[in-house]
Amino acid sequence: MENKMENSHEITSAELKQAKGRSLAQETWRRMLKNKGAVIGMIFMILLIIVALLAEFIYNYDTDIVAQSASSSFSAPSAAHIFGTDQFGRDIFARVLYGARYSLLIGCGSVAFGLLVGLLLGSLAGFYGGFIDNLVMRANDILYAIPNILIAVVIVSLLGTTPLSLLLALSISAASSFARIARAAVMQIRGQEYIESAYAMGLPTWKVILRHIIPNCLSPIIVQVTLAIGSNIIAASSLSFLGVGVAPPMPEWGAMLSDSRQYIRSAPWMCIFPGLAIVVTVLALNLMGDGLRDALDPKLKK
Amino acid sequence: MSDNILEIKDLVVHYETDDGCVNAVNGLSFSIGRKKTLGLVGETGAGKTTTALSILNLVPDPPGKIKSGSILLDGRDVLQMTDKELEEMRGNDVAMIFQDPMTALNPVMTVGDQIAESIELHQHVSSKEAFEKAKEMLKMVGIAESRAYDYPHQFSGGMRQRVVIAIALTCKPKLLLSDEPTTALDVTIQAQVLELMKELIRSQQMSMLLITHDLGVVAETCDDVAVMYAGKIVEIGTADEVFNHTLHPYTEGLFNSLPNLRERGEELIPIKGLMPDPMNLPEGCAFAPRCPYATEACEKTQPELTLMGGTHCVACLAYRDAQFSLRRNHNG
Amino acid sequence: MIRYILKRLLLMIPTILLTSLLIFWAMDLTGGDPVQTILPENATVEQQEALRESMGLNRPFFIRYFDYMLGIVTGDMGTSYVTKLDVFDTFMHRLPMTLALGGTALLISVIISIPLGIWTALNQNTWKDTLGMVLALFGVSMPNFWLGLMLMLLFSLQLHWLPSGGSGGIQYLVLPAMTVGLGLAALITRTTRSAMLDVIRQDYITTAKAKGASHHRVIYTHALRNAMIPIVTAVGMQFSLVMTGSALAETVFSWPGIGLLIVNSISKRDTPMVTGSIILCCILMALINLLTDIIYAYCDPRIKAQYSSKG
């Protein structure tokens, strides 16, 4: 029996969804598809991943990527070489496509690793508070004080200029930001009443975490993952550009740009295309990330 | 010069959203006399706040659109005014008090500056003088003058509402719009704030539109009462007429759902059903689906406000039958 | 407020200590043998040992660390292996160049982004909004060293309007500052837009309008002042990006700041310079963070009150 004096019954969006028989994931997916930018971004990323996977089969590393040919060096873009050739006569188009492997590997790998570590530490800090929280937060503050690039410098000095050390270095900063987000999300949810009622029902702690807390933290984390991959790809290429990341002759996009800097006057195409590849990739990721953010919380868009 | 400070005729306001068109106000008409207080009663979602914002021509656009109608403030149609005229009118001729004092004040400006702003906008005085006047206004609403230098977060809810009142009354407006001014406050503070408002209105000889869902507040403060349902006025008259000689079934339902101190053992009688979805209003009378007196005609035709004696009007087809009267009135 | 600042400065010390310990340890591991660099090729083992002894390189790690930290206080952080100049002096000499670059970049970005952010927020969901957002999205997706190269290609090599590198006058500052500033502008535009969208929905904006405030007054005096709070926070958080960006721009345009210093020192394996520069950079970052927090407190009186009372 409703007393109609106070408020008319406001139906929450969650109830509406339930009424329509869709889960949150399906709703989010549906909204994503409406966003043209996000769809373009997703399609591009799928294509890029396919290219990166197939590159190993289409091109032979030794003959196509690093072999030098003085005769065809410094050719401008043409039908034979869509992006032109570099100072060693290597086809830039092939190198750019192959280079996608490094960017995706380092970008996704560092975020995946950072996510695992960061989520774990952040959730523990947020959930238990006290000493663990203090420890994690102090460590985080220290990492925060050191700019990304300097951490990378230190780690790369220790481990050498390989993709792995770059991945490790970037994982650290990724872990730091995920820990922060996870901690904030967990702390906020922990205080909610439905958690108290879950305990009151007799659910053990681990079940409360698994069933109630983690699913509700996911939205900010999912958005951050997409955006973090993009910013880590930029970071990786920046570090390679400075000579603190992947080194030539590996066709990592940043390393390619570092190499081609000196030829900018005579062969500008060498500097244009690898950078363009970075821009387009990160753009696609940002479109996806923005689309995800809008889809997960449509109120923000309005 | 007419007797009425405010005359609204056939106001229609829609909110055009992605999910559909919300018919917030559907042909609203009422007037407020000079120095009179009108209580606008209705549930959340009836369109009361939209009405008040329309008077200031402040309906957020997008998505809100004032589709048709006229709002005469002291004879001038608000909906036809230019931006400049509106800026001069707002705060000066009409002022508004909002529902939630916790969010109505700018957190990064001192309280004194916010009151002084109102003065500086409408009167030609230096900012120093404006600030002095602001302090006087604080005193008038019962706050120490020295607190003019404080920020809103340093005040409690009740005091913030007093500041909001001070801002509204600074330029001595002719009409005060109060949107649920005490709903967000504790019960004890509610009484204080209401007293303050009554006193100030009386001394400044203002008219007031008091929006509320609380019939008790209406009984205490208002000369006239208008009952609103689904964006229209369904009953209007003096407080005595509406309270003691109720005409509309909805109003009857409102009174019936109030607990009666004298008859404690009785069951509460709520109004069955829900208010109609403003995106999907019925063809005929909006209250018909819930009305215990509804007939077939009610579902097809929308009733118009008809004068039933004195200043008492009601929009109900039942009164075509001259013998009709509500059960409430049978029992006396 | 003063007490808060002092407290923060004091808290900085353990963080700096720990950070510098980590850096010193890491660089010590990788450092390479300075003796090889200093002495000629044909030096004997005894000569190398003798030099090591005199440089104190055989002492245990913590003693060397302690000595080094003491050095920071007195301003002595060793000498460069390569240039033989004092590390601290070199750093301080180059610091103003980077600050000039960073400051100009910040100025450029704020001039572009805040009006653009406001414009897109007020015209939400129109073509103006889409245009602004697309530009900002591009800016955020671009690695700024590539932007630098492209700017150099266009303005320096094709149009010959500006020099392509070095220092000496304001014309040398333009391209590097644009490189850092445009990327930053893209970021701040997005932040400004979302902050403004948030703020103009607030009740106190309706109150201001109901007072009869003009549109201009509502946007600038009421909305923007409140939007500045999340904007300053976001910019503050991204400040390390400005530093990184400056380092990249300095590399592309050979602008003699501390970014270029560190990059060159790394490639030349100049351990004391790298160690010293990184530690000093961290101290600089910590001070800038503190400055950001203070600015933030002045934007938001609620925070200022918190800082003042807690002390």
Side-chain angles (χ1 to χ4, degrees):
Chain A
M1 294 295 259
E2 311 108 322
N3 183 336
K4 286 282 135 271
M5 266 319 284
E6 273 300 310
N7 287 308
S8 52
H9 183 56
E10 266 180 55
I11 304 182
T12 63
S13 61
E15 291 177 59
L16 246 177
K17 260 175 249 145
Q18 227 142 30
K20 289 188 193 164
R22 290 201 199 109
S23 71
L24 185 61
Q26 282 173 305
E27 260 304 303
T28 309
W29 181 246
R30 199 181 61 92
R31 269 187 235 128
M32 273 281 278
L33 290 177
K34 276 203 218 166
N35 183 335
K36 281 177 268 192
V39 171
I40 296 176
M42 273 192 287
I43 294 179
F44 181 83
M45 286 314 293
I46 294 175
L47 286 174
L48 190 70
I49 294 175
I50 294 177
V51 162
L53 289 171
L54 291 180
E56 185 66 29
F57 303 104
I58 305 178
Y59 296 109
N60 177 305
Y61 187 74
D62 294 312
T63 56
D64 302 321
I65 306 296
V66 296
Q68 305 184 1
S69 158
S71 57
S72 45
S73 61
F74 294 120
S75 337
S78 61
H81 300 283
I82 311 178
F83 286 174
T85 61
D86 64 7
Q87 74 273 33
F88 294 126
R90 300 177 292 200
D91 180 28
I92 294 181
F93 183 70
R95 299 194 92 222
V96 167
L97 285 188
Y98 202 89
R101 298 163 63 85
Y102 297 97
S103 297
L104 285 177
L105 192 70
I106 298 175
C108 298
S110 60
V111 169
F113 199 66
L115 182 67
L116 227 62
V117 173
L119 257 190
L120 185 68
L121 290 175
S123 318
L124 286 175
F127 193 76
Y128 288 110
F131 177 68
I132 301 183
D133 187 20
N134 258 322
L135 195 66
V136 171
M137 279 299 103
R138 291 296 132 247
N140 222 332
D141 282 343
I142 293 179
L143 282 173
Y144 210 65
I146 313 177
N148 218 346
I149 182 177
L150 298 182
I151 298 181
V153 163
V154 172
I155 292 192
V156 169
S157 303
L158 278 171
L159 301 174
T161 55
T162 63
L164 186 65
S165 53
L166 197 53
L167 198 150
L168 222 57
L170 293 174
S171 310
I172 294 182
S173 49
S176 165
S177 69
F178 283 119
R180 206 174 281 263
I181 295 177
R183 174 181 178 269
V186 169
M187 280 174 83
Q188 195 226 10
I189 290 168
R190 190 186 65 174
Q192 303 268 21
E193 283 166 348
Y194 63 86
I195 298 295
E196 283 183 38
S197 38
Y199 279 124
M201 282 202 288
L203 276 180
T205 307
W206 70 271
K207 268 200 190 160
V208 174
I209 297 180
L210 220 57
R211 225 185 274 173
H212 292 280
I213 295 188
I214 288 186
N216 282 294
C217 295
L218 285 180
S219 339
I221 290 179
I222 291 176
V223 175
Q224 183 65 10
V225 164
T226 347
L227 299 176
I229 297 180
S231 67
N232 273 11
I233 290 180
I234 292 185
S237 61
S238 304
L239 288 167
S240 304
F241 178 77
L242 291 176
V244 194
V246 175
M250 286 189 264
E252 199 272 344
W253 295 334
M256 286 171 74
L257 285 167
S258 149
D259 230 6
S260 40
R261 249 184 86 196
Q262 42 188 312
Y263 305 110
I264 189 171
R265 249 171 262 263
S266 46
W269 60 88
M270 283 174 68
C271 296
I272 297 179
F273 294 107
L276 212 52
I278 303 175
V279 175
V280 176
T281 305
V282 177
L283 190 64
L285 282 163
N286 279 335
L287 280 169
M288 275 178 68
D290 279 356
L292 268 169
R293 190 196 292 132
D294 289 342
L296 282 167
D297 191 354
K299 277 185 284 163
L300 286 175
K301 195 175 177 205
K302 305 274 180 220
Chain B
M1 195 147 86
S2 105
D3 267 341
N4 292 328
I5 184 72
L6 180 71
E7 276 180 32
I8 303 184
K9 273 202 182 59
D10 300 321
L11 182 65
V12 177
V13 183
H14 291 172
Y15 286 96
E16 286 158 10
T17 71
D18 281 346
D19 298 318
C21 181
V22 180
N23 304 317
V25 177
N26 309 301
L28 183 82
S29 306
F30 67 81
S31 310
I32 303 182
R34 290 181 194 281
K35 303 192 204 159
K36 294 287 190 113
T37 304
L38 173 73
L40 186 60
V41 181
E43 299 162 45
T44 313
K48 310 189 299 278
T49 306
T50 308
T51 307
L53 288 174
S54 308
I55 298 175
L56 290 169
N57 208 343
L58 268 186
V59 175
D61 177 0
K65 284 204 173 15
I66 300 183
K67 288 289 198 188
S68 62
S70 68
I71 299 180
L72 295 180
L73 184 68
D74 212 358
R76 294 163 64 204
D77 190 353
V78 168
L79 303 178
Q80 307 292 333
M81 285 187 190
T82 64
D83 281 343
K84 202 151 193 315
E85 290 171 328
L86 284 170
E87 284 165 22
E88 279 167 20
M89 168 202 82
R90 291 176 191 148
N92 207 13
D93 299 319
V94 197
M96 187 155 171
I97 295 175
F98 296 87
Q99 186 170 345
D100 190 353
M102 302 307 273
T103 55
L105 293 172
N106 189 333
V108 301
M109 278 172 80
T110 61
V111 152
D113 279 336
Q114 295 192 51
I115 302 176
E117 184 182 22
S118 211
I119 301 170
E120 285 179 66
L121 283 169
H122 300 291
Q123 296 170 18
H124 295 292
V125 292
S126 71
S127 42
K128 242 177 151 251
E129 283 175 49
F131 201 80
E132 289 306 310
K133 281 190 160 196
K135 288 191 193 169
E136 284 170 31
M137 286 305 299
L138 278 178
K139 200 159 116 184
M140 202 191 325
V141 296
I143 298 179
E145 285 188 0
S146 58
R147 302 214 63 185
Y149 299 95
D150 286 342
Y151 289 91
H153 69 270
Q154 295 169 275
F155 291 84
S156 68
M159 294 183 79
R160 280 191 224 195
Q161 196 63 307
R162 288 171 194 255
V163 172
V164 172
I165 294 172
I167 295 176
L169 298 181
T170 304
C171 296
K172 302 205 190 328
K174 299 179 199 137
L175 173 65
L176 181 65
L177 309 173
S178 314
D179 190 356
E180 313 244 19
T182 54
T183 307
L185 302 173
D186 289 336
V187 176
T188 44
I189 310 293
Q190 274 186 26
Q192 281 178 23
V193 173
L194 271 176
E195 266 312 305
L196 176 67
M197 283 175 66
K198 270 163 66 176
E199 172 54 38
L200 290 171
I201 291 165
R202 198 191 50 78
S203 65
Q204 305 217 7
Q205 307 202 329
M206 293 188 285
S207 305
M208 176 162 78
L209 174 69
L210 179 63
I211 297 175
T212 180
H213 60 263
D214 188 336
L215 290 167
V217 167
V218 172
E220 256 201 55
T221 36
C222 302
D223 303 310
D224 301 312
V225 181
V227 180
M228 197 165 167
Y229 189 79
K232 291 175 91 147
I233 303 286
V234 296
E235 182 168 359
I236 182 169
T238 66
D240 176 58
E241 287 167 348
V242 175
F243 275 67
N244 297 325
H245 306 282
T246 316
L247 288 177
H248 198 278
Y250 175 59
T251 322
E252 180 190 40
L254 290 180
F255 284 122
N256 283 346
S257 56
L258 288 176
N260 192 334
L261 267 177
R262 266 169 264 146
E263 286 154 60
R264 297 235 187 140
E266 268 190 25
E267 258 181 44
L268 288 177
I269 313 174
I271 309 175
K272 69 174 178 7
L274 287 169
M275 202 147 70
D277 179 4
M279 286 198 265
N280 210 352
L281 289 175
E283 217 188 291
C285 171
F287 189 62
R290 306 166 77 186
C291 182
Y293 308 93
T295 64
E296 249 189 63
C298 297
E299 281 161 37
K300 301 230 180 57
T301 332
Q302 292 216 12
E304 296 294 323
L305 271 176
T306 10
L307 187 60
M308 301 289 292
T311 54
H312 201 172
C313 301
V314 68
C316 183
L317 294 177
Y319 289 95
R320 288 197 228 173
D321 173 4
Q323 302 297 331
F324 177 80
S325 87
L326 300 176
R327 281 178 215 133
R328 177 186 168 88
N329 294 329
H330 290 165
N331 300 337
Chain C
M1 193 64 195
I2 306 282
R3 281 177 65 191
Y4 173 75
I5 298 177
L6 286 173
K7 193 173 104 161
R8 280 288 295 267
L9 285 170
L10 268 157
L11 275 174
M12 256 170 62
I13 296 179
T15 315
I16 304 277
L17 282 175
L18 210 60
T19 314
S20 55
L21 178 63
L22 279 166
I23 296 172
F24 188 82
W25 171 74
M27 296 312 290
D28 196 53
L29 276 179
T30 77
D33 192 0
V35 168
Q36 306 273 352
T37 333
I38 295 176
L39 288 178
E41 285 266 329
N42 53 8
T44 64
V45 178
E46 288 89 21
Q47 284 173 315
Q48 288 181 354
E49 257 318 300
L51 189 55
R52 269 199 209 100
E53 266 303 317
S54 71
M55 285 177 79
L57 292 173
N58 287 336
R59 292 175 298 168
F61 172 76
F62 269 105
I63 305 238
R64 282 186 288 130
Y65 171 68
F66 198 65
D67 204 35
Y68 189 77
M69 291 315 288
L70 271 174
I72 292 187
V73 179
T74 60
D76 173 20
M77 296 175 83
T79 43
S80 159
Y81 289 165
V82 177
T83 64
K84 310 284 185 279
L85 294 170
D86 185 54
V87 168
F88 189 78
D89 287 340
T90 316
F91 185 90
M92 285 308 183
H93 186 70
R94 311 263 290 220
L95 181 61
M97 297 300 273
T98 301
L99 289 178
L101 180 58
T104 315
L106 194 61
L107 196 68
I108 294 176
S109 64
V110 166
I111 292 176
I112 297 175
S113 60
I114 296 204
L116 189 60
I118 296 177
W119 186 66
T120 53
L122 295 179
N123 289 296
Q124 196 191 8
N125 295 330
T126 62
W127 66 267
K128 298 173 188 167
D129 187 17
T130 316
L131 178 68
M133 280 297 97
V134 165
L135 283 175
L137 194 60
F138 259 99
V140 173
S141 309
M142 228 184 284
N144 76 352
F145 62 91
W146 184 73
L147 176 63
L149 287 172
M150 296 297 107
L151 286 175
M152 188 198 283
L153 196 60
L154 179 62
F155 289 105
S156 190
L157 302 175
Q158 294 280 29
L159 295 173
H160 301 288
W161 286 354
L162 292 162
S164 62
S167 62
I170 250 208
Q171 70 270 32
Y172 292 94
L173 182 56
V174 175
L175 284 182
M178 291 293 290
T179 305
V180 181
L182 286 178
L184 197 60
L187 194 77
I188 301 182
T189 305
R190 276 158 67 99
T191 311
T192 304
R193 177 183 180 270
S194 68
M196 285 297 288
L197 282 178
D198 216 22
V199 165
I200 53 183
R201 283 172 197 1
Q202 299 296 323
D203 284 345
Y204 55 82
I205 297 295
T206 319
T207 307
K209 289 188 196 169
K211 278 191 213 173
S214 67
H215 181 73
H216 194 265
R217 202 185 161 88
V218 169
I219 298 299
Y220 292 99
T221 313
H222 289 271
L224 189 60
R225 271 170 70 173
N226 278 279
M228 282 319 282
I229 301 170
I231 292 174
V232 167
T233 313
V235 172
M237 288 204 299
Q238 301 294 339
F239 209 80
S240 57
L241 258 177
V242 176
M243 294 309 295
T244 315
S246 300
L248 289 162
E250 287 175 23
T251 309
V252 171
F253 293 100
S254 307
W255 178 261
I258 50 182
L260 189 58
L261 178 65
I262 295 181
V263 170
N264 285 341
S265 309
I266 293 172
S267 62
K268 292 186 197 145
R269 307 207 134 279
D270 189 354
T271 313
M273 188 61 89
V274 178
T275 316
S277 308
I278 295 183
I279 293 179
L280 285 169
C281 258
C282 291
I283 298 179
L284 182 68
M285 294 303 308
L287 285 169
I288 293 180
N289 273 328
L290 180 58
L291 190 67
T292 316
D293 279 348
I294 296 174
I295 296 178
Y296 177 65
Y298 274 96
C299 289
D300 189 348
R302 293 166 287 192
I303 301 291
K304 192 169 176 199
Q306 246 184 319
Y307 290 171
S308 299
S309 61
K310 274 158 87 175

